[in-house]
Amino acid sequence: MAHSASEDGFPENGTPSREQIVWQVVCMIPEGRVASYGQVAELAGLPGLARFVGRAMGRLPEGSEVPWYRVLRSDGRIAMPAGTEGHEHQRRLLSAEGVKVTDGRVAMKLYRWRP
DNA sequence: TACGTGACGGCGA
DNA sequence: GTCGCCGCCACGT
């Protein structure tokens, strides 16, 4: 399988894709803290590519350990449409870590991760 | 090959 | 405070 990726989703030829770099950055977000898509993009060396980060989250393999739920929009809101299952799931995971979610929104001023 | 779409962000009205 | 527009990249049709 020389043309396929490893189980972790990383190519074997030592050429991690931007997508994988993004996942790596998200894994650095500590428990109980959050980051915005733009912030993750910047830390991944992709300034201005917040939308790309959003896509990367949607492409996460099922069962991955990447704490995708710690990534929010720049205004602190949960990106997924309110009322959806994903939205509820994310809100629940954040609450479990002590991150207060009020009206689908998090106080970035208090919980924003500062590397 | 071209076009539409999407877990975004910043700015102006 | 809300709404719309544009820019950015990757992928499916």
Side-chain angles (χ1 to χ4, degrees), chain A residues 87-105:
Chain A
H87 181 102
E88 281 301 305
H89 186 202
Q90 183 166 15
R91 183 184 62 69
R92 189 174 157 70
L93 288 168
L94 287 171
S95 298
E97 292 190 349
V99 177
K100 200 171 193 175
V101 182
T102 304
D103 196 31
R105 197 166 103 193

Side-chain angles (χ1 to χ4, degrees), chain A residues 24-105:
Chain A
Q24 196 64 41
V25 171
V26 175
C27 285
M28 291 165 45
I29 305 174
E31 187 178 321
R33 308 248 100 186
V34 299
S36 75
Y37 289 90
Q39 186 182 354
V40 171
E42 196 165 331
L43 291 171
L46 307 168
L49 301 189
R51 197 158 191 175
F52 176 80
V53 173
R55 257 189 51 76
M57 294 300 100
R59 294 178 51 73
L60 272 173
E62 197 167 331
S64 101
E65 301 173 29
V66 180
W68 56 270
Y69 54 87
R70 292 178 188 149
V71 186
L72 308 170
R73 289 183 68 137
S74 62
D75 57 6
R77 291 207 223 232
I78 291 178
M80 301 184 138
T84 63
E85 197 173 321
H87 181 102
E88 281 301 305
H89 186 202
Q90 183 166 15
R91 183 184 62 69
R92 189 174 157 70
L93 288 168
L94 287 171
S95 298
E97 292 190 349
V99 177
K100 200 171 193 175
V101 182
T102 304
D103 196 31
R105 197 166 103 193

